[in-house]
Amino acid sequence: MTRIDATFARLAQEGRRAFVAYVMAGDPDAETATEIVKGLPAAGVDVIELGVPFTDPMADGPTIQLAGQRALEGGMTLDRTLDIVRALRAEDDTTPVVLMGYYNPIYSKGVDRFLAEATEAGVDGLIVVDLPPEEDDELCLPAQAAGMNFIRLATPTTDDKRLPKVLQNTSGFVYYVSITGITGTGAASAAKVGPEVARIKAKTDLPVIVGFGIKTPEAAREIAGVADGCVVGSAIVERIGKGDSVADVLAYVKSLADGAHSA
């Protein structure tokens, strides 16, 4: 059982929804990003989603693209991203960490070497947005063999014919993208999300977590109320990009976590 599995089992037993927070590794700089990551569990974050900066982030909107650019300009790499995870693990051995990014940096490093180093660092799961289920042999199956969860995205355009393929070999949780398009655009609607979550849950026992378009504690509560939890990314990254202090960023994260946990 991974840390992700254990966390969702505990939350289910407590009758609580999960709050997942996304931040970009190395944004605005390595030291500040590490401090933010280390502060997320105390702010109520159940799962940390840590972005790996990449030069061509095709699924991300302007806010996260800019965060990735800032991180890359500051010298952030895949190896230094793993160092942030190690810094967290020195203080916290229970909060799950999911790396979210693109396949190229992993491929360049070598899958076997990456999985060995990521496992040693304390990574629990992967979201790799440009590897479809048809490419499971590339990374998904080796990651699971290494004891890591491989988390997939389902979207409003994932129809009933495609859904079983998306769910195949998925573990940890299913990430439902509440709106079509890139990150940081639009607003999630519980009225639209609820039926879609129910459709997915009819096909899997995995938790379904909803992300994209959540910016307020009220929205976090509303969306978490029709799913097993919610993810907030762009709204947090935007605060970091504006230069908010670590304390202010973490206070905002806590308000979102409190919203999700009140669902």
Side-chain angles (χ1 to χ4, degrees), residues 221-245:
R221 181 173 63 247
E222 183 183 346
I223 296 300
V226 296
D228 295 298
C230 68
V231 186
V232 178
S234 292
I236 298 170
V237 171
E238 186 175 9
R239 302 251 174 160
I240 295 170
K242 285 179 177 177
D244 282 13
S245 68

Side-chain angles (χ1 to χ4, degrees), residues 77-205:
T77 62
L78 179 55
D79 286 343
R80 294 186 73 189
T81 299
L82 295 180
D83 285 340
I84 293 176
V85 181
R86 291 185 182 98
L88 172 72
R89 288 285 171 248
E91 301 179 2
D92 181 315
D93 195 41
T94 57
T95 304
V97 175
V98 175
L99 293 189
M100 182 170 186
Y102 298 82
Y103 185 45
N104 186 274
I106 296 171
Y107 177 80
S108 298
K109 188 176 186 62
V111 167
D112 291 344
R113 183 179 168 200
F114 164 73
L115 290 174
E117 292 182 11
T119 302
E120 173 270 323
V123 174
D124 305 290
L126 302 173
I127 300 174
V128 182
V129 297
D130 55 348
L131 273 184
E134 287 76 12
E135 305 293 336
D136 274 357
D137 288 343
E138 286 282 328
L139 181 61
C140 172
L141 297 180
Q144 297 201 357
M148 226 178 264
N149 290 125
F150 200 87
I151 295 141
R152 291 241 192 256
L153 305 182
T155 74
T157 60
T158 307
D159 59 20
D160 288 336
K161 183 178 179 182
R162 180 66 177 168
L163 185 59
K165 192 73 175 175
V166 170
L167 295 174
Q168 170 189 307
N169 297 326
T170 297
S171 63
F173 60 91
V174 179
Y175 186 140
Y176 179 69
V177 177
S178 65
I179 54 178
T180 54
I182 53 177
T183 59
T185 59
S189 161
K192 292 181 180 178
V193 167
E196 290 297 299
V197 170
R199 180 171 70 93
I200 296 167
K201 288 182 75 67
K203 303 291 185 181
T204 180
D205 292 331

Side-chain angles (χ1 to χ4, degrees), residues 23 35-45 236 244-257:
V23 294
E35 199 177 341
I36 290 170
V37 168
K38 288 162 68 173
L40 292 175
V45 173
I236 298 170
D244 282 13
S245 68
V246 171
D248 285 346
V249 170
L250 293 175
Y252 174 60
V253 170
K254 186 177 186 309
S255 74
L256 296 166

